[in-house]
Amino acid sequence: IDRSGLDITTLELPLEIIPLEENMFLVPSPRCFSRCFIQNDINDIYTIARSLLKLQLFTGGVERTFYAGEMSQRVFTLLEQMKNQCGYSNFKDPQFDDIFIIDRTVDLVTPLASQFYYGGLLDDLFDYEYGYFKLPFGIEIQDQPDTTEVLFSDLNDDNFKVLRGMSVADTSQHFTDQLALIQKVLSDL
């Protein structure tokens, strides 16, 4: 860099919020539980509060915030202090009414619970890796009977994008609606 002769400006871009999908993000804080409770380190709490602040700057300030647990209360307090420093006029109209902050001291069971949405059930019940889905025993594709794996749908597939986060009951209604739409198109043709 020194020898290039180019004028280089260094900027910091901390990825406190890593977008995974349209409405899903990750705040990277590995070993957060251990650092907060064993080492008494609050850096992760600050990171989480700052991430929630950035999220609200993008999506608008939230009307009400609920928290459960000592660490969640600390996150809430830091978040309110940061909002106050930013100035409430910097927040757009909220896209969300409420935000819930729940820490693991209050809820240790949820991460161990089964996933009750469509994509989660597929993930739990069937073995798919890197987008490839191994067909369960006894199921075959009629066009290609020798196929044992298929490429699983990704977020470019509109149906998978919609179904992935739905509960199983909602997927049933979605399929019923789609079949009715297909029947209408066929009858119109």
Side-chain angles (χ1 to χ4, degrees), residues 44-54 75 78-79 82:
D44 288 329
I45 294 170
Y46 181 77
T47 299
I48 293 166
R50 197 163 63 182
S51 300
L52 290 172
L53 176 72
K54 285 183 180 180
V75 168
L78 276 171
L79 178 61
M82 290 175 185

Side-chain angles (χ1 to χ4, degrees), residues 88 98 102 109 115-116 149 164 172 174 176-177:
Y88 289 95
D98 303 323
I102 303 169
V109 177
Q115 306 176 60
F116 290 110
E149 289 186 341
R164 185 167 187 239
S172 175
H174 177 77
T176 303
D177 294 344

Side-chain angles (χ1 to χ4, degrees), residues 33 37 67-72 100-114:
F33 196 88
F37 291 97
Y67 57 86
E70 180 188 342
M71 294 301 155
S72 296
F100 296 86
I101 308 170
I102 303 169
D103 71 46
R104 290 289 162 246
T105 58
V106 176
D107 181 16
L108 283 166
V109 177
T110 299
L112 306 175
S114 224

